[in-house]
Amino acid sequence: MKIPVLSRLLKSRASPKNRLYGSTYTFFFGGTASGKTVNERTAMQTTAVYACVRILAETIASLPLNLYKYTDMGKEKAIDHQLYYLLHDEPNPEMTSFVFRETLMSHLLLWGNAYAQIIRDARGQILALYPLLPDRMTVDRTTDGQLYYEYRKDTGYVILRPEDILHIPGLGFDGLVGYSPIAMAKNAIGMAIATEEYGGKFFANGASPGGVLEHPGVVKDPARIRESWNAVYQGSGNAHRIAVLEEGMKFQSIGIPPEQAQFLETRKFQTEEICRIFRVPPHLVANLDKATFSNIEHQSISFVVHTIRPWLVRLEQGMNKALLRPSEKGQYFVGFVVDGLLRGDYASRMQGYAIGIQNGFLSPNDVRTLENMNTIEHGDIYAMNGNMLKLEDVGAYANTKRKEVSQ
């Protein structure tokens, strides 16, 4: 009796839908309040979006990615496992690990989802990982509640099982399909596109406001005069040329100068808005207005803790779930190495290493490994300062305890 009930529950379960498709697609993309069309490709033509996506994708792709094995002493690299080579060096014959992870991160940041096809042999061992375009993928359920992935190729559609897909979803409403940050923030990005286009047209028109030519009499052929004026004075290459006005004509400016319209301030604010979308400190996209020598290091560390780390956890857990067999999940795990990003200046690092060695939780070889140096003989010894004593053996307290014991 339990099986039919469970079957009905599975059939009645709401199917995960990628809301960027179907009848609601135009709600997310398309027109904006600024009148500009925003999608993943037009957004990348904005310098702030391109810079944020590049910084996040390249930073995460440059971090060492290892497969570890649990041991009695903690963990060690599982270099003998086939998955270690795929993740650390070459996920497929066409890509390096850096390019593969950079591609997945760019998909996550633009579309809100990252997909990769898992190629296995007859024994189920993973042979390669190939990224798939998110805008061609649809996630759905069968009538009995089973997940499946439908990928649109140039020659038709391919149905893929969940075990054949590495899916890293971003922030979403159903926990299965992420939503595009570009779609969610389309108005802010659209305004950035509009201000950039305005600046381009401003210089295309000679870096001077529009205006009118006033004639004291009746102009018989105004179109000819306008075309003649534009041919000589329009465009940034013709800026500052001396105008020659005939028949008593006068030029009257009617435009608003950009400084009065706060054009540059608007562009800076939109850059900060886009940085806010991706949680990237403005100084990383060359906006140094609020950066100082005293706080830029702490901003960089905060960037690692509050921006990079959540993405790393999302990637690690997604890879552990999709790439490890059930029998391996208690023995192996995927992990990024972020120690290099958290290191301070040289003097601070040396002071921290000295404290670690003196207090016995670091060895000289631990320090040399962190500094990318070869280990040395006898460098694995953990030692502590010999002046440290137990409280019961210190001074008057120890003498009082001894007297109590003798009595």
Side-chain angles (χ1 to χ4, degrees):
M1 295 297 294
K2 293 182 179 180
I3 295 178
V5 172
L6 178 60
S7 177
R8 287 196 298 271
L9 288 175
L10 289 174
K11 291 181 180 180
S12 63
R13 185 188 303 173
S15 299
K17 294 288 187 183
N18 190 336
R19 298 300 193 275
L20 303 184
Y21 295 92
S23 60
T24 57
Y25 180 84
T26 55
F27 171 78
F28 284 93
F29 289 115
T32 61
S34 62
K36 301 301 175 183
T37 300
V38 175
N39 54 45
E40 295 88 359
R41 290 172 174 81
T42 59
M44 281 290 281
Q45 296 176 358
T46 303
T47 55
V49 174
Y50 181 85
C52 289
V53 171
R54 183 180 178 184
I55 287 168
L56 289 171
E58 290 183 345
T59 300
I60 292 176
S62 64
L63 295 176
L65 177 60
N66 299 319
L67 178 69
Y68 294 98
K69 182 179 181 180
Y70 290 107
T71 64
D72 295 336
M73 300 297 294
K75 65 179 181 180
E76 65 180 17
K77 294 180 182 179
I79 58 177
D80 296 330
H81 198 288
Q82 172 67 12
L83 191 57
Y84 179 91
Y85 173 77
L86 293 177
L87 295 177
H88 187 272
D89 298 305
E90 190 176 297
N92 62 70
E94 302 172 357
M95 295 181 179
T96 63
S97 178
F98 181 96
V99 174
F100 175 76
R101 285 180 282 145
E102 181 186 44
T103 303
L104 291 186
M105 271 307 302
S106 63
H107 289 174
L108 262 174
L109 296 168
L110 293 174
W111 280 279
N113 294 275
Y115 302 95
Q117 185 177 4
I118 304 173
I119 307 299
R120 304 177 187 269
D121 60 13
R123 297 176 298 174
Q125 186 175 357
I126 299 177
L127 300 177
L129 299 169
Y130 287 91
L132 301 173
L133 290 173
D135 57 344
R136 296 190 175 193
M137 184 72 75
T138 303
V139 186
D140 207 339
R141 291 189 188 272
T142 62
T143 55
D144 59 353
Q146 300 299 317
L147 278 174
Y148 71 91
Y149 295 82
E150 183 181 85
Y151 189 68
R152 177 173 55 84
K153 300 175 63 177
D154 295 335
T155 57
Y157 291 87
V158 177
I159 303 299
L160 299 168
R161 299 171 300 175
E163 55 266 29
D164 296 328
I165 290 292
L166 168 62
H167 179 198
I168 311 294
L171 177 65
F173 298 155
D174 55 14
L176 292 173
V177 178
Y179 286 160
S180 168
I182 303 299
M184 291 299 180
K186 66 177 183 178
N187 284 323
I189 297 173
M191 187 171 180
I193 295 174
T195 55
E196 190 169 291
E197 183 177 319
Y198 172 82
K201 290 184 177 180
F202 173 70
F203 284 100
N205 290 322
S208 60
V212 295
L213 289 172
E214 295 182 353
H215 193 280
V218 178
V219 179
K220 297 181 180 179
D221 193 354
R224 183 186 62 81
I225 296 177
R226 180 172 59 249
E227 292 175 0
S228 176
W229 176 272
N230 290 336
V232 178
Y233 303 110
Q234 189 178 43
S236 57
N238 297 322
H240 308 296
R241 296 188 66 176
I242 298 176
V244 178
L245 302 178
E246 300 177 355
E247 301 178 2
M249 287 191 298
K250 296 180 180 180
F251 178 80
Q252 180 64 39
S253 175
I254 61 173
I256 301 176
E259 61 272 16
Q260 295 182 11
Q262 296 184 336
F263 168 67
L264 295 179
E265 287 77 4
T266 300
R267 292 210 63 185
K268 286 184 179 180
F269 179 76
Q270 289 312 116
T271 298
E272 294 178 0
E273 281 279 272
I274 293 172
C275 288
R276 188 177 295 117
I277 297 169
F278 294 101
R279 209 185 310 171
V280 172
H283 75 271
L284 291 179
V285 296
N287 185 351
L288 302 176
D289 291 348
K290 299 179 182 179
T292 65
F293 288 107
S294 60
N295 69 8
I296 198 166
E297 179 181 343
H298 295 87
Q299 288 188 46
S300 299
I301 294 176
S302 177
F303 170 66
V304 176
V305 175
H306 300 293
T307 303
I308 296 296
R309 185 176 179 274
W311 285 115
L312 297 183
V313 174
R314 191 184 298 271
L315 290 168
E316 289 170 351
Q317 293 187 357
M319 291 179 180
N320 287 330
K321 179 179 180 297
L323 303 181
L324 293 177
R325 300 176 182 178
S327 59
E328 295 177 333
K329 291 183 179 179
Q331 304 177 30
Y332 299 91
F333 67 95
V334 177
F336 286 88
V337 181
V338 297
D339 296 341
L341 294 179
L342 295 173
R343 295 191 302 178
D345 59 87
Y346 184 80
S348 300
R349 296 204 311 273
M350 294 302 108
Q351 183 179 3
Y353 292 152
I355 294 174
I357 292 175
Q358 292 174 7
N359 288 277
F361 61 85
L362 283 178
S363 70
N365 277 346
D366 291 336
V367 174
R368 295 179 68 87
T369 301
L370 291 173
E371 289 295 317
N372 198 26
M373 302 168 65
N374 293 334
T375 58
I376 59 176
E377 188 178 3
H378 308 302
D380 294 320
I381 298 175
Y382 293 88
M384 291 187 65
N385 195 321
N387 294 328
M388 299 291 290
L389 298 174
K390 296 180 181 179
L391 181 62
E392 60 185 14
D393 296 332
V394 177
Y397 179 84
N399 294 332
T400 302
K401 288 297 182 181
R402 292 192 186 98
K403 290 179 180 179
E404 292 178 356
V405 172
S406 61
Q407 292 176 357

